[in-house]
Amino acid sequence: MTVPREMPEKWRRVHGPGGAEEERRVRANAREYNEKFQYASNCIKTSKYNIVTFLPVNLFEQFQEVANTYFLFLLILQLIPQISSLSWFTTIVPLVLVLTITAVKDATDDYFRHKSDNQVNNRQSQVLIGGVLRQEQWMNVRVGDIIKLENNQFVAADLLLLSSSEPHGLCYIETAELDGETNMKVRQAIPVTSELGDTSKLARFDGEVICEPPNNKLDKFGGMLYWKENKYPLSNQNMLLRGCVLRNTEWCFGLVIFAGPDTKLMQNSGRTKFKRTSIDRLMNTLVLWIFGFLVCMGVILAIGNAIWEHEVGVCFQIYLPWDEGVHSAFFSGFLSFWSYIIILNTVVPISLYVSVEVIRLGHSYFINWDKKMYCAKRRTPAEARTTTLNEELGQVEYIFSDKTGTLTQNIMVFSKCSVNRHSYGDMQDVLGHKAELRERPEPVDFSFNPLADPRFQFWDPSLLEAVNLGDPHVHEFFRLLSLCHTVMSEEKSEGELYYKAQSPDEGALVTAARNFGFVFRSRTPKTITVHELGRAITYQLLAILDFNNIRKRMSVIVRSPEGKIRLYCKGADTILLERLHPINQDLTNVTTDHLNEYAGEGLRTLVLAYKDLEESYYEDWSERLHRAGSAPEAREDRLARLYDEVEHDMMLLGATAIEDKLQQGVPETIAILTLANIKIWVLTGDKQETAVNIGYSCKMLTDDMTEVFVVTGHTVLEVREELRKAREKMMDASRSMGNGFSYQEKLSSSKFTSVLEAIAGEYALVINGHSLAHALEADMEVEFLETACACKAVICCRVTPLQKAQVVELVKKYKKAVTLAIGDGANDVSMIKTAHIGVGISGQEGIQAVLASDYSFSQFKFLQRLLLVHGRWSYLRMCKFLCYFFYKNFAFTMVHFWFGFFCGFSAQTVYDQYFITLYNIVYTSLPVLAMGVFDQDVPEQRSMEYPKLYEPGQLNLLFNKREFFICIAQGIYTSILMFFIPYGVFADATRDDGAQLADYQSFAVTVATSLVIVVSVQIGLDTGFWTAINHFFIWGSLTAYFAILFAMHSDGLFQMFPNQFRFVGNAQNTLAQPTVWLTIALTTVVCIMPVVAFRFLKLDLKPELSDTVRYTQLVRKKQKTQHRCMRRVGRVGSRRSGYAFSHQEGFGELIMSGKNMRLSSLALSSFATRPSASWIETLRKKKGSDGSTAGSPSGAADKTLKDGRPLSPVAPPGHCSVSIHLHGVQIPHHTRMYYARATTAGGRGGSGGAVTAPCPLPHPSTTCLLFI
């Protein structure tokens, strides 16, 4: 075999400069030839360590933490006897403990990655070696091998399809792991290899493929096959990519082109990244600052020591000589500097990091144990797969979500229809009103039909009655649904039908017709057989006018057994209604009303029509169609014109409404998260229409939005222009509303900001994958991000896994906001790894997303609880823990600094070394741990009811540099009082027997006791949620302090260790003095009272929202709740077509060619529904225009009613306990009532931005306006 030289120039060299691969050459059945190119093997690796690299790499990562390096440095200092005044074990034991705990956790995480890798690498595959098929592990597959795949097997590597069991080399694959789509896709071998069906022929195959190098483009492939002196072009339609599953095809053979890390799936997967929280990064900075502060204190005390030794110490050399080696005051000061660095190092004790890890571990267990995040149906609990990111769950600003399997169940259900002015699908009660779901009777009984699908349910028996009564319009309606489609049918046994639909929409429609007696039974390239009410009728299939995104419709032309030729058409309502005969005007008006009603409920609508064709016209049109189909140029344009010609003046049959079912609770979850100021972007591989429809279903998009921008440009200039127009429209609308903005793009170095984000109105942005590729380029990414961030909702369609990660990275880069990515498939792995927090849905698309995630659960709705309860509490607890920890350690350590001025700067400690060692390990560790693990400001129900409680985390209000300095100031203030009050008292105090009270040990006991009591009282003030554990730890720590104190000054320890415990009875004698207890009491009161006074005034004058919520909770307990019913509020929405959004153009032509008529195993495709839910957007958007606005929690306290009476900043949910029905969603009576404001009795209500209801608050002449 020879390879012609006229290959593309860009593939001329195998490797370019720097070793980058520029082309790939693969020869079939020639391992030796292929190995010289050193292509990657098929072994994948997602783990970070191995046995050899674990210890050095893990220690390197851990010592990237500034604190760990800091403690290692202190340990080295403590090993130098000339400067160490504390034992080395006080540092090395906790340091080793921290490093060991972290290493074990990291090793455990990486073990599961290794386990997953081994599971994938050890899968079995049939490889053709030496003319014989052998079982080989995936890791042993090499580039150039020929592999045999069987039905339902995963594709092991990126393969060139050579042949299959289906005619013409066709095979069917599912690409859910790649792009999230669960509908089948067709791939076809090139004709020259499609006949290589047996192993002997394949063993002799020696073709060579020259193609593009490895890349991440899932939808593109370019190459040439050279074989037998000929060359054959290759495209993506000839490729089977790793991660796909072979479906409905008995077997196929493929040639390995890309293996392992070179496959497109792995090229899109991204790298495992070491994730740190913002608090971790801040702590690193604070540790550096504290170290700088520590050095400053050491320098001050060292200078003091040098001066003291020079001026005073030199006079006492006889009985206070300098240490050996010290010959000058300067050198004494130098040694004193290092001694003080060791003594004062407890400003950041290593126990801080041990405590942080323990608290995070506790928070992780709370997530794992949460029964409200447990899915009983799948028996799947929530799982915290990492312990390092819990508090960042309380700071999320952007959520990036996959669609299929994450927001939706990917199931379609035939819900309603309109036929001849009648709407079917709703049940009425005795009063003629629509019945609620819980009030509906049993579903329609289809037992009369032996071919009915038992899983199909419909609730309106009147439609079946119309069929049984022979209504010709209803019969023609279902006849159209049974004929106008591209579904394939397989009958495994008599009456057991399996439909294989290219899109779930079509499967739902054909199944509906099947159950109502019009059963699509089988098809050939030229016929369709339908059982109409038990009678088999075969129609001649004359033409399929295929679907595409421009036409938004499809038609079939059939000839009935009577010889009548009829065109049946179904498509988007906006397209078909324009093509109807004028005689349909009255029927069109009624049907349009029904369509508006269906769209208002979030259903996917579709219009059906037909047209009778004359024989002569059809013959002429068919001839012209044949010529257009054979035209060498402009074939698509000619066919489109002919299709358009025949699809005019049609007769309207009716409309269908399909429910694309979201996962349970998705609209409510998105609504609540939106209220928490979390922005949600949907990144999906689905088509634009599908994604937009889901956006409307889950209420990310609403009809109340000012405008939805759609970016579909194919070039850089087109995309730039569309983004520019979108920004101009937003600015023009804002100016017209009187906001007076002047447009300027601003980009600060720290955080991306734009005047667009303050515009009035609500906008949404929808962008396609090919447009997004241009928008993400370096010179346009800022424009794209500015436009997107000004919009309330962003939906990116047809995006690759790598593009998902790039969008996340873009927001991380410029917005400096915490991001969360959530998905359920392998195509979401890259996005999950890139975001600050990755969440995996354990769904129907495998477990790759779960394995790559930081948190996992089974339903999207649990995200609300993960963030608003666990995330908010974790952030709150961690912030309170850190504030208190820095406070107590500065209060403890700074006493040494003040004492230095009274001890000749000799590095003498105030406390004995046992107190210094036990202070952070025993006396104060457990109370702060209990607060860090169990504390809460409001109960979990209130966290869900008041989403605005989440905002302090996003704004980083609870622990930042300002809060840190406040804690430090309080600690220094406490240390000053802690030292100088006892010092002043002891200066002139005497014992009961008249002896002098002042001595070093008595002073140390008094200061230490005061310190333990003060910090214990302080943590009691800081604790917001008391449990038995809190009580036990706080009072137990105080008890332990006194027990250990008396034990260390006892006779028993002195007799056992006379050199260590010399001060027998000192504690007993000191604490027996009333003066000491009065000193301790005075110190405690002076330290604590300013804190109590400040917090009281703050609570009274400027309460936070959590304070107000706690207050209203107390009020609720004293008042009876009043339940009032509110009328249901409807919504009329714009119509949105739901036709076959997953459809691919060209499938109709494939059916007519007959190439896919022999299918081995056709399974019924899944259906999906979408609950109608809408309430948040309109409620949150429209504020009253009478000057009374719902403000911030702090500002709301100052609002008054029009008659001058004050208004509560938060409407207590117990005061207005109502059950609200808005746009099809029932809001529980006890939830989501956030701000209250007053209007006159004629205030707005209905479908506007608020709901009016009588309120028992003390303003009966007004109406309580509740905002969600």
Side-chain angles (χ1 to χ4, degrees):
M1 183 202 71
T2 59
V3 179
R5 295 185 178 274
E6 55 271 17
M7 65 184 69
E9 180 63 30
K10 64 178 180 178
W11 297 338
R12 184 71 65 182
R13 291 179 298 166
V14 176
H15 289 85
E21 188 175 344
E22 291 193 357
E23 70 171 20
R24 174 152 295 204
R25 289 171 173 263
V26 179
R27 185 178 297 172
N29 296 312
R31 279 196 172 188
E32 291 184 2
Y33 173 81
N34 297 319
E35 283 175 357
K36 69 181 182 181
F37 297 110
Q38 298 181 349
Y39 295 138
S41 71
N42 204 40
C43 180
I44 64 166
K45 178 185 175 183
T46 60
S47 56
K48 294 167 61 178
Y49 316 109
N50 58 39
I51 295 177
V52 176
T53 63
F54 173 73
L55 194 59
V57 173
N58 187 260
L59 286 177
F60 174 75
E61 288 179 347
Q62 291 200 57
F63 280 110
Q64 285 183 310
E65 296 281 354
V66 176
N68 289 339
T69 306
Y70 165 70
F71 291 122
L72 181 63
F73 173 69
L74 288 176
L75 175 62
I76 296 172
L77 289 181
Q78 285 182 291
L79 295 176
I80 304 174
Q82 286 81 3
I83 62 175
S84 178
S85 55
L86 293 174
S87 178
W88 57 269
F89 70 82
T90 59
T91 298
I92 193 170
V93 172
L95 176 61
V96 171
L97 182 64
V98 169
L99 296 177
T100 303
I101 291 174
T102 306
V104 169
K105 178 180 66 66
D106 292 342
T108 303
D109 292 343
D110 207 57
Y111 165 75
F112 287 109
R113 295 191 198 100
H114 273 287
K115 190 175 180 180
S116 171
D117 290 346
N118 291 335
Q119 182 182 357
V120 173
N121 289 330
N122 290 318
R123 286 177 179 172
Q124 296 294 310
S125 184
Q126 299 182 66
V127 182
L128 186 63
I129 301 176
V132 179
L133 285 172
R134 297 180 184 176
Q135 290 289 339
E136 290 282 352
Q137 295 174 329
W138 276 23
M139 69 172 73
N140 296 326
V141 172
R142 297 290 182 267
V143 172
D145 288 350
I146 293 178
I147 295 178
K148 181 181 181 181
L149 296 175
E150 295 181 347
N151 193 37
N152 296 326
Q153 281 189 347
F154 278 94
V155 179
D158 288 357
L159 310 177
L160 170 65
L161 179 61
L162 297 177
S163 61
S164 77
S165 59
E166 302 302 308
H168 308 283
L170 292 172
C171 76
Y172 300 87
I173 58 171
E174 183 181 280
T175 61
E177 293 281 5
L178 289 173
D179 56 20
E181 294 187 7
T182 54
N183 55 289
M184 297 301 103
K185 293 183 173 62
V186 182
R187 294 293 183 263
Q188 186 173 13
I190 59 176
V192 70
T193 64
S194 61
E195 302 303 324
L196 301 177
D198 75 49
T199 54
S200 59
K201 293 180 180 178
L202 287 165
R204 295 193 298 271
F205 177 67
D206 61 350
E208 182 167 359
V209 173
I210 301 179
C211 65
E212 61 189 25
N215 59 75
N216 54 43
K217 297 177 180 177
L218 295 175
D219 57 346
K220 292 183 180 180
F221 178 81
M224 300 289 289
L225 171 64
Y226 297 92
W227 189 39
K228 295 182 178 179
E229 306 297 333
N230 294 314
K231 61 179 181 179
Y232 308 92
L234 304 175
S235 70
N236 199 51
Q237 287 299 309
N238 310 124
M239 296 294 293
L240 306 180
L241 302 184
R242 179 178 180 135
C244 298
V245 182
L246 191 67
R247 300 291 193 197
N248 307 317
T249 307
E250 288 184 17
W251 52 263
C252 73
F253 286 94
L255 173 66
V256 178
I257 304 296
F258 302 120
D262 291 341
T263 59
K264 292 182 182 288
L265 175 64
M266 296 304 296
Q267 291 277 310
N268 276 281
S269 65
R271 296 181 59 191
T272 300
K273 298 184 179 180
F274 185 65
K275 296 183 178 181
R276 286 193 182 94
T277 67
S278 57
I279 286 182
D280 282 336
R281 293 188 291 272
L282 176 59
M283 283 173 59
N284 278 348
T285 303
L286 297 181
V287 167
L288 289 175
W289 288 2
I290 291 173
F291 184 74
F293 179 67
L294 177 61
V295 170
C296 291
M297 289 193 296
V299 169
I300 292 171
L301 293 171
I303 294 173
N305 176 267
I307 295 174
W308 190 90
E309 291 289 355
H310 183 268
E311 299 293 335
V312 180
V314 70
C315 301
F316 298 92
Q317 285 293 305
I318 296 175
Y319 64 93
L320 282 179
W322 286 336
D323 294 335
E324 185 179 351
V326 179
H327 305 293
S328 67
F330 174 80
F331 191 67
S332 174
F334 175 76
L335 294 180
S336 178
F337 168 80
W338 296 110
S339 297
Y340 271 113
I341 290 294
I342 294 173
I343 292 173
L344 300 175
N345 82 84
T346 49
V347 285
V348 185
I350 197 166
S351 59
L352 168 66
Y353 290 89
V354 178
S355 302
V356 165
E357 292 300 321
V358 171
I359 289 172
R360 286 171 171 170
L361 183 64
H363 295 168
S364 298
Y365 277 116
F366 288 154
I367 294 173
N368 296 343
W369 294 338
D370 192 341
K371 293 182 178 180
K372 295 182 180 179
M373 295 173 66
Y374 176 79
C375 179
K377 182 179 180 181
R378 296 181 182 173
R379 297 183 179 179
T380 306
E383 181 183 3
R385 298 173 57 82
T386 181
T387 60
T388 59
L389 303 174
N390 294 325
E391 63 269 17
E392 202 146 63
L393 289 170
Q395 299 178 277
V396 173
E397 291 186 56
Y398 287 86
I399 293 177
F400 300 91
S401 175
D402 179 40
K403 182 191 72 69
T404 307
T406 302
L407 299 179
T408 70
Q409 300 180 31
N410 203 35
I411 301 171
M412 303 287 179
V413 171
F414 181 83
S415 179
K416 296 182 181 181
C417 64
S418 171
V419 186
N420 193 31
R421 296 181 174 85
H422 294 286
S423 178
Y424 300 96
D426 280 317
M427 282 299 300
Q428 271 99 31
D429 55 24
V430 293
L431 298 177
H433 300 112
K434 292 181 181 178
E436 297 294 333
L437 180 61
R438 62 181 179 273
E439 301 169 354
R440 291 179 178 175
E442 292 297 317
V444 174
D445 182 12
F446 294 107
S447 58
F448 73 94
N449 182 359
L451 296 176
D453 185 341
R455 292 170 294 182
F456 178 82
Q457 287 187 326
F458 198 73
W459 302 93
D460 188 353
S462 62
L463 184 57
L464 183 58
E465 292 173 5
V467 173
N468 293 333
L469 293 174
D471 187 324
H473 298 94
V474 176
H475 281 203
E476 198 66 17
F477 177 88
F478 283 116
R479 186 174 291 116
L480 185 151
L481 293 182
S482 65
L483 293 171
C484 186
H485 56 78
T486 58
V487 174
M488 305 299 296
S489 173
E490 182 181 19
E491 192 165 355
K492 291 188 174 180
S493 60
E494 181 64 27
E496 190 178 356
L497 289 174
Y498 290 89
Y499 287 157
K500 185 61 220 162
Q502 197 196 1
S503 69
D505 309 68
E506 283 214 313
L509 295 174
V510 177
T511 300
R514 168 184 175 179
N515 277 56
F516 281 99
F518 289 75
V519 184
F520 164 60
R521 199 67 182 267
S522 63
R523 76 188 316 149
T524 70
K526 299 298 181 184
T527 64
I528 297 179
T529 300
V530 178
H531 280 221
E532 297 184 359
L533 301 177
R535 186 165 60 97
I537 300 177
T538 299
Y539 293 86
Q540 183 181 355
L541 181 59
L542 302 177
I544 295 180
L545 283 58
D546 208 359
F547 164 87
N548 64 34
N549 284 324
I550 299 174
R551 285 167 42 76
K552 297 186 185 298
R553 63 189 184 276
M554 78 161 289
S555 301
V556 296
I557 300 176
V558 298
R559 191 193 304 269
S560 67
E562 294 80 19
K564 182 185 295 184
I565 299 176
R566 178 165 286 183
L567 175 143
Y568 290 108
C569 183
K570 65 181 181 184
D573 41 31
T574 54
I575 301 296
L576 252 65
L577 293 179
E578 299 172 353
R579 300 174 178 277
L580 299 178
H581 195 281
I583 199 174
N584 293 274
Q585 189 59 50
D586 292 340
L587 178 59
T588 300
N589 292 337
V590 177
T591 305
T592 299
D593 292 338
H594 292 159
L595 287 168
N596 287 335
E597 179 185 345
Y598 300 157
E601 297 174 9
L603 303 178
R604 300 169 65 152
T605 57
L606 195 65
V607 171
L608 313 182
Y610 72 94
K611 178 181 180 180
D612 289 320
L613 303 177
E614 297 291 337
E615 182 74 33
S616 57
Y617 172 78
Y618 171 74
E619 292 293 340
D620 175 64
W621 181 85
S622 178
E623 178 63 26
R624 287 183 286 143
L625 181 70
H626 177 72
R627 290 199 301 268
S630 305
E633 296 179 357
R635 175 177 178 268
E636 289 76 13
D637 292 339
R638 296 186 181 188
L639 290 175
R641 285 195 294 270
L642 286 171
Y643 291 171
D644 188 71
E645 173 191 321
V646 75
E647 292 171 331
H648 264 98
D649 294 333
M650 294 183 287
M651 303 300 294
L652 180 62
L653 265 178
T656 63
I658 292 177
E659 197 174 2
D660 182 7
K661 205 173 191 67
L662 294 171
Q663 288 191 20
Q664 183 182 4
V666 166
E668 294 85 350
T669 300
I670 289 178
I672 294 300
L673 294 178
T674 303
L675 274 180
N677 198 34
I678 298 174
K679 301 174 181 63
I680 301 177
W681 293 19
V682 173
L683 312 177
T684 176
D686 268 357
K687 293 181 183 291
Q688 174 186 315
E689 294 88 343
T690 314
V692 169
N693 218 295
I694 293 298
Y696 278 101
S697 290
C698 63
K699 305 311 167 194
M700 287 181 61
L701 306 178
T702 68
D703 296 307
D704 296 319
M705 283 184 162
T706 310
E707 189 165 351
V708 177
F709 302 111
V710 180
V711 179
T712 58
H714 286 78
T715 66
V716 174
L717 293 178
E718 288 177 358
V719 174
R720 190 187 301 275
E721 181 64 18
E722 290 178 9
L723 292 175
R724 185 189 62 79
K725 288 181 178 178
R727 292 195 299 274
E728 286 182 353
K729 285 185 179 180
M730 287 188 278
M731 294 305 303
D732 290 342
S734 184
R735 291 192 194 99
S736 67
M737 298 179 71
N739 290 345
F741 285 111
S742 61
Y743 175 70
Q744 289 181 344
E745 292 184 1
K746 298 180 181 178
L747 183 62
S748 67
S749 58
S750 61
K751 188 164 183 175
F752 179 86
T753 57
S754 170
V755 70
L756 277 176
E757 296 188 48
I759 63 170
E762 292 184 349
Y763 300 88
L765 178 68
V766 179
I767 184 169
N768 275 313
H770 53 77
S771 304
L772 184 63
H774 297 303
L776 292 175
E777 292 179 2
D779 61 339
M780 206 191 304
E781 61 182 13
V782 172
E783 297 178 47
F784 165 67
L785 184 63
E786 183 180 57
T787 309
C789 290
C791 296
K792 194 171 182 301
V794 178
I795 298 176
C796 302
C797 322
R798 282 298 186 202
V799 293
T800 66
L802 187 63
Q803 283 179 325
K804 292 184 179 184
Q806 289 172 336
V807 172
V808 176
E809 190 63 46
L810 180 65
V811 174
K812 286 175 62 179
K813 177 181 177 182
Y814 288 113
K815 298 299 291 183
K816 306 297 182 185
V818 177
T819 59
L820 181 147
I822 179 170
D824 71 322
N827 59 315
D828 304 313
V829 167
S830 184
M831 170 177 71
I832 286 172
K833 289 181 177 180
T834 303
H836 292 99
I837 302 170
V839 177
I841 299 285
S842 50
Q844 302 176 5
E845 296 187 20
I847 61 171
Q848 266 95 341
V850 171
L851 293 175
S853 67
D854 305 305
Y855 301 89
S856 67
F857 40 73
S858 61
Q859 296 186 39
F860 182 84
K861 67 177 181 179
F862 295 147
L863 185 62
Q864 174 184 351
R865 186 171 177 83
L866 180 70
L867 299 185
L868 300 189
V869 178
H870 292 288
R872 201 182 71 82
W873 278 353
S874 294
Y875 174 73
L876 169 76
R877 292 162 177 167
M878 186 60 70
C879 292
K880 293 182 72 172
F881 163 81
L882 291 174
C883 288
Y884 175 78
F885 211 99
F886 283 120
Y887 153 75
K888 77 180 182 68
N889 280 286
F890 266 79
F892 164 65
T893 305
M894 289 299 293
V895 173
H896 292 302
F897 180 78
W898 311 124
F899 184 60
F901 291 90
F902 297 88
C903 69
F905 306 97
S906 60
Q908 174 67 42
T909 58
V910 178
Y911 324 105
D912 65 75
Q913 67 173 355
Y914 296 104
F915 181 82
I916 293 173
T917 302
L918 296 177
Y919 176 76
N920 280 304
I921 296 177
V922 177
Y923 301 150
T924 61
S925 61
L926 294 181
V928 72
L929 277 179
M931 181 180 71
V933 173
F934 300 107
D935 200 47
Q936 22 179 298
D937 54 348
V938 297
E940 60 183 70
Q941 298 91 339
R942 303 296 168 259
S943 293
M944 305 278 275
E945 291 169 9
Y946 298 89
K948 287 291 180 182
L949 288 168
Y950 190 79
E951 287 191 0
Q954 296 171 322
L955 301 174
N956 204 22
L957 297 180
L958 301 186
F959 185 73
N960 48 42
K961 294 172 184 176
R962 176 178 175 273
E963 293 296 323
F964 169 74
F965 284 120
I966 291 175
C967 298
I968 298 309
Q970 184 186 356
I972 294 174
Y973 164 79
T974 302
S975 71
I976 292 173
L977 298 176
M978 200 77 64
F979 177 79
F980 285 102
I981 290 179
Y983 184 85
V985 171
F986 273 50
D988 299 315
T990 59
R991 297 179 184 272
D992 293 339
D993 57 4
Q996 180 69 27
L997 179 61
D999 65 73
Y1000 172 69
Q1001 279 298 316
S1002 296
F1003 180 75
V1005 169
T1006 303
V1007 173
T1009 305
S1010 300
L1011 176 65
V1012 172
I1013 292 175
V1014 167
V1015 296
S1016 297
V1017 173
Q1018 180 66 47
I1019 199 170
L1021 292 176
D1022 289 344
T1023 301
F1025 182 72
W1026 284 86
T1027 66
I1029 296 176
N1030 293 84
H1031 283 286
F1032 177 75
F1033 281 173
I1034 291 177
W1035 313 128
S1037 295
L1038 278 172
T1039 304
Y1041 165 72
F1042 285 108
I1044 293 173
L1045 178 67
F1046 289 127
M1048 286 194 302
H1049 293 85
S1050 65
D1051 293 335
L1053 278 180
F1054 170 73
Q1055 292 174 1
M1056 289 186 289
F1057 308 101
N1059 293 328
Q1060 298 293 326
F1061 302 98
R1062 306 170 186 172
F1063 303 99
V1064 181
N1066 177 72
Q1068 294 87 334
N1069 293 334
T1070 301
L1071 296 179
Q1073 303 300 316
T1075 303
V1076 171
W1077 283 108
L1078 286 173
T1079 302
I1080 293 171
L1082 176 64
T1083 304
T1084 303
V1085 170
V1086 175
C1087 289
I1088 295 300
M1089 283 309 296
V1091 178
V1092 174
F1094 173 77
R1095 294 188 181 182
F1096 176 80
L1097 291 174
K1098 182 180 178 184
L1099 186 65
D1100 190 54
L1101 301 177
K1102 192 178 179 182
E1104 296 178 353
L1105 178 58
S1106 58
D1107 301 324
T1108 313
V1109 171
R1110 283 197 299 271
Y1111 170 75
T1112 57
Q1113 189 176 358
L1114 294 174
V1115 173
R1116 292 178 69 186
K1117 295 179 181 179
K1118 301 177 183 179
Q1119 298 182 351
K1120 292 184 178 181
T1121 58
Q1122 298 186 13
H1123 299 267
R1124 298 182 183 274
C1125 297
M1126 300 193 68
R1127 65 187 181 88
R1128 192 184 186 108
V1129 181
R1131 174 174 72 90
V1132 176
S1134 62
R1135 297 192 304 277
R1136 298 179 298 279
S1137 171
Y1139 172 62
F1141 289 136
S1142 305
H1143 236 50
Q1144 286 183 311
E1145 184 177 4
F1147 208 69
E1149 182 178 352
L1150 188 63
I1151 289 175
M1152 294 295 289
S1153 71
K1155 290 182 178 181
N1156 65 335
M1157 284 300 114
R1158 184 165 65 84
L1159 292 178
S1160 58
S1161 174
L1162 292 171
L1164 182 64
S1165 68
S1166 57
F1167 306 91
T1169 82
R1170 175 176 59 189
S1172 55
S1174 166
W1175 45 277
I1176 174 60
E1177 304 300 343
T1178 52
L1179 279 178
R1180 190 168 177 266
K1181 173 189 169 189
K1182 294 188 177 179
K1183 312 295 184 183
S1185 58
D1186 55 1
S1188 179
T1189 46
S1192 64
S1194 58
D1198 300 327
K1199 304 290 184 184
T1200 59
L1201 302 178
K1202 290 189 175 181
D1203 56 5
R1205 284 169 295 175
L1207 176 65
S1208 171
V1210 177
H1215 288 195
C1216 300
S1217 187
V1218 294
S1219 181
I1220 309 176
H1221 289 267
L1222 292 177
H1223 312 321
V1225 172
Q1226 180 177 354
I1227 307 172
H1229 70 275
H1230 61 282
T1231 62
R1232 301 172 182 49
M1233 275 161 264
Y1234 180 53
Y1235 287 120
R1237 74 172 191 185
T1239 67
T1240 60
R1244 289 188 305 150
S1247 60
V1251 176
T1252 59
C1255 177
L1257 289 173
H1259 46 82
S1261 63
T1262 65
T1263 300
C1264 180
L1265 192 60
L1266 300 178
F1267 279 91
I1268 297 177

